Amino acid sequence: MEKLNIDCLVLIFDELLDDSNSLYSCLLVNREWCNLVVPILWAEYPHYYLRMKIAKEKLSNVILSCLPTSSKQLLFDNNIKLPLTNLSIPLTFNYVSFFKDLKVKTIYNIINLVFKKEILIGVNYSKRRNLLEQEIYKLYISQCKSIKSLEWKTSQSLPSFPGALTCFSQLYSLDIGIDYINPDNLYDMAQICKDLNELFVYNISQDILGLIYLIDVQKNLKNVSFDFKTKKKMCKELSITLARKGGTINNLTLYNSIGVISHSFLTSLINLKDLTIDHDNDCASYEEVKEFQKHLANSKFSDLQSLEIAADLLCFKELAMLVEKTKGNLSSIFIYTFSKSSENTGMFLKTISNHCPKIEYLSTYIGPKDLIYVKSLLMNCRNLINLCLRSLNENDDIGDELLDILTNFSPKVLTDITIYGGWKYSIDVLEKFFESYRGRKLRFFIYYNYIEYNIHIVDVVKKYYSEGIIIGSNLLHYSV
């Protein structure tokens, strides 16, 4: 049998990555296979096993064993005792050098293992903890040749550690906790990594020049997520910088951004495919909300595929204007609001019906006059798999009408339906709806207090569950 060359073997082993048992058996074949498989396994090992207590301790001990003698001596001199008794035999590989992700949880697990029997308070503990953290990060940065993903939530000056240029030069994803780091270190990181694809930043409250510079130097920034907290000053420069990246950003997520950053940059994101805006902070003024709505309505995301808006404000009209300007590639829409007004919900449904033929997942609201648009939606959007409808007016009783429309017009692939609303349902209409799903498998959920006291509806759901038509429902758990 002709021997496969190393490149072919690596390609094969990479394909086996999702089957860890098979990949593990490959390293037992011979020394050459072992040398090829171990780096692949250990590049993923921390990610898969961090939740398991025994595995976490083993992983932590392996990393501690890789510390150089100088670090171990420094820690010993500062009364930091390492639990290395079960790893007295020299390691076969330098396992740390294989890691591709540097996660905060991995560092915390090691620190907790070392100090688990100590009282974790006082200046002395803080100093020793900081020293241990420093040496662990130095180990990673000096040994890892190409970290792809970094969670940067520490005051340690990571870009200044020996080996940082090599370690971070191919960084793909960067997750920053602004509250933890020294902002000046962002300038140093910007000199090293300029090909970030993903950037996640948390707890932004004002413009940070180092962060703005880091964003500016990126050549291919595609996925951006910003989490804002109570504002100190308006983030004007950050908005301008994001506008300059409008040609590359495909995915954008904003948390609590209204009133903290100007959304004028949205109109510059000409290649956006996924947009998520989640705002649960009610500190925004009326003027700030109107400013957000204006920029949302003026934006044009032709290639948009996923839209998620969760906010304590009404913007169905603006969302309809946004959807109308897409090219029909939207496959997922999720809308959630705390508002109780159903203004323009029908307009939004109508727009989805007319402009989203590929929609598969939809969660939105309906008012008492919107059933005609629900019918149109079901008739035009035949790829719809998952539908969630919420009521903004609990006083309207449209339950039977809604079920009739779902019975007569639902596409064959629509098998996951959720309804939030204080509507009543006749038993015969409900049974007719379930009968229309014979030959299919339905997941059906209804949420409102009335259901809890209607034993007949619960009994009907349980009946069709026993017949295999309904495969999941919240009503199966009610005992009335």
Side-chain angles (χ1 to χ4, degrees):
M1 177 179 176
E2 186 175 348
K3 181 180 178 181
L4 291 173
N5 64 41
I6 291 177
D7 291 337
C8 289
L9 286 171
V10 170
L11 289 173
I12 294 171
F13 296 149
D14 281 336
E15 289 298 318
L16 290 174
L17 190 56
D18 292 332
D19 184 359
S20 56
N21 290 331
S22 296
L23 190 56
Y24 179 79
S25 64
C26 290
L27 67 82
L28 303 176
V29 173
N30 56 46
R31 184 183 297 274
E32 181 183 45
W33 282 34
C34 179
N35 289 334
L36 295 175
V37 170
V38 167
I40 296 173
L41 281 172
W42 274 86
E44 300 294 326
Y45 181 89
H47 175 71
Y48 287 126
Y49 295 97
L50 277 175
R51 295 182 181 179
M52 302 168 57
K53 183 177 180 181
I54 295 177
K56 284 193 296 187
E57 290 195 2
K58 288 183 177 179
L59 176 62
S60 297
N61 274 312
V62 167
I63 295 172
L64 288 171
S65 296
C66 291
L67 285 170
T69 303
S70 57
S71 292
K72 293 177 183 178
Q73 186 62 49
L74 177 63
L75 297 175
F76 179 80
D77 292 343
N78 284 272
N79 196 28
I80 300 174
K81 299 178 181 179
L82 305 180
L84 299 174
T85 53
N86 59 333
L87 286 172
S88 56
I89 301 175
L91 297 174
T92 306
F93 297 92
N94 181 8
Y95 294 101
V96 171
S97 67
F98 303 140
F99 292 173
K100 299 298 182 183
D101 297 337
L102 182 44
K103 297 184 179 297
V104 171
K105 193 170 183 179
T106 306
I107 308 299
Y108 285 173
N109 286 337
I110 299 172
I111 293 172
N112 292 335
L113 175 66
V114 173
F115 293 118
K116 64 181 178 180
K117 295 183 180 180
E118 298 191 22
I119 300 175
L120 308 181
I121 57 174
V123 176
N124 188 42
Y125 164 72
S126 179
K127 179 180 178 182
R128 292 162 63 230
R129 183 193 184 286
N130 185 70
L131 182 61
L132 176 59
E133 183 185 54
Q134 170 190 287
E135 295 307 302
I136 297 170
Y137 275 115
K138 282 186 175 180
L139 169 67
Y140 269 99
I141 294 171
S142 65
Q143 297 300 315
C144 297
K145 304 306 179 186
S146 58
I147 287 288
K148 299 298 183 183
S149 175
L150 169 65
E151 287 184 354
W152 193 5
K153 300 176 182 179
T154 175
S155 59
Q156 302 289 341
S157 180
L158 304 188
S160 67
F161 286 174
L165 180 60
T166 301
C167 181
F168 298 133
S169 62
Q170 299 181 47
L171 202 60
Y172 177 91
S173 177
L174 179 59
D175 187 326
I176 302 174
I178 287 294
D179 285 354
Y180 294 91
I181 69 171
N182 182 340
D184 291 339
N185 290 331
L186 292 168
Y187 287 102
D188 297 328
M189 186 62 81
Q191 301 299 322
I192 298 174
C193 62
K194 300 182 180 181
D195 289 305
L196 287 177
N197 190 280
E198 300 177 345
L199 178 63
F200 312 106
V201 189
Y202 301 91
N203 294 324
I204 305 171
S205 60
Q206 61 185 338
D207 277 329
I208 300 171
L209 297 181
L211 175 61
I212 290 169
Y213 182 69
L214 176 66
I215 296 172
D216 254 334
V217 301
Q218 301 310 313
K219 302 173 183 176
N220 196 32
L221 194 58
K222 293 183 179 297
N223 188 354
V224 176
S225 176
F226 290 149
D227 187 351
F228 296 87
K229 65 178 181 180
T230 304
K231 64 180 177 181
K232 293 180 181 178
K233 296 179 181 179
M234 194 73 170
C235 300
K236 296 180 181 180
E237 292 299 322
L238 180 58
S239 177
I240 295 171
T241 303
L242 289 174
R244 288 197 289 266
K245 295 298 172 184
T248 63
I249 295 177
N250 296 148
N251 307 310
L252 175 67
T253 301
L254 300 174
Y255 295 101
N256 296 322
S257 59
I258 301 174
V260 186
I261 184 174
S262 170
H263 292 80
S264 58
F265 73 91
L266 289 176
T267 58
S268 301
L269 306 184
I270 57 176
N271 292 311
L272 198 65
K273 294 182 179 179
D274 301 285
L275 174 63
T276 299
I277 298 177
D278 191 339
H279 189 86
D280 61 6
N281 189 332
D282 59 1
C283 294
S285 67
Y286 175 79
E287 291 76 16
E288 290 168 337
V289 169
K290 297 302 290 185
E291 185 265 354
F292 164 74
Q293 292 175 329
K294 179 187 72 173
H295 293 303
L296 191 65
N298 290 337
S299 298
K300 182 180 179 180
F301 308 135
S302 300
D303 298 320
L304 197 64
Q305 297 176 7
S306 174
L307 175 64
E308 181 174 337
I309 306 289
D312 188 14
L313 54 95
L314 279 176
C315 54
F316 289 105
K317 178 181 178 180
E318 291 77 14
L319 289 172
M321 296 169 68
L322 186 72
V323 169
E324 190 173 0
K325 288 177 282 187
T326 63
K327 291 181 178 179
N329 293 318
L330 266 166
S331 62
S332 177
I333 297 176
F334 175 89
I335 308 298
Y336 186 82
T337 179
F338 297 104
S339 173
K340 294 301 180 182
S341 172
S342 58
E343 183 179 359
N344 295 315
T345 52
M347 176 185 180
F348 185 51
L349 276 170
K350 181 180 179 181
T351 305
I352 295 172
S353 174
N354 292 335
H355 296 276
C356 302
K358 297 180 181 179
I359 190 78
E360 296 180 355
Y361 304 92
L362 173 62
S363 177
T364 187
Y365 293 78
I366 60 173
K369 299 180 181 180
D370 295 342
L371 291 181
I372 186 174
Y373 303 117
V374 175
K375 176 181 174 180
S376 177
L377 173 80
L378 297 174
M379 293 177 65
N380 293 342
C381 304
R382 306 305 290 177
N383 294 308
L384 196 60
I385 298 171
N386 187 313
L387 176 64
C388 175
L389 297 175
R390 301 174 185 268
S391 169
L392 287 172
N393 191 331
E394 301 295 336
N395 298 320
D396 299 301
D397 192 5
I398 58 173
D400 282 352
E401 292 179 77
L402 176 59
L403 284 184
D404 277 336
I405 291 173
L406 289 169
T407 299
N408 294 318
F409 300 102
S410 291
K412 293 294 183 182
V413 295
L414 179 56
T415 54
D416 200 321
I417 299 175
T418 302
I419 301 173
Y420 290 83
W423 305 315
K424 297 180 181 180
Y425 304 90
S426 301
I427 297 302
D428 58 335
V429 174
L430 191 63
E431 288 186 330
K432 183 179 178 182
F433 168 65
F434 290 147
E435 285 292 337
S436 72
Y437 271 84
R438 284 199 179 274
R440 292 184 284 172
K441 304 295 184 181
L442 173 67
R443 291 173 54 83
F444 183 68
F445 300 84
I446 302 181
Y447 293 93
Y448 73 109
N449 291 336
Y450 168 77
I451 285 292
E452 297 184 19
Y453 304 101
N454 194 321
I455 187 172
H456 303 294
I457 289 181
V458 175
D459 285 345
V460 171
V461 170
K462 290 183 177 179
K463 170 192 170 184
Y464 282 93
Y465 175 75
S466 67
E467 294 180 13
I469 296 174
I470 295 175
I471 60 173
S473 176
N474 60 314
L475 302 186
L476 297 171
H477 306 296
Y478 283 133
S479 178
V480 294

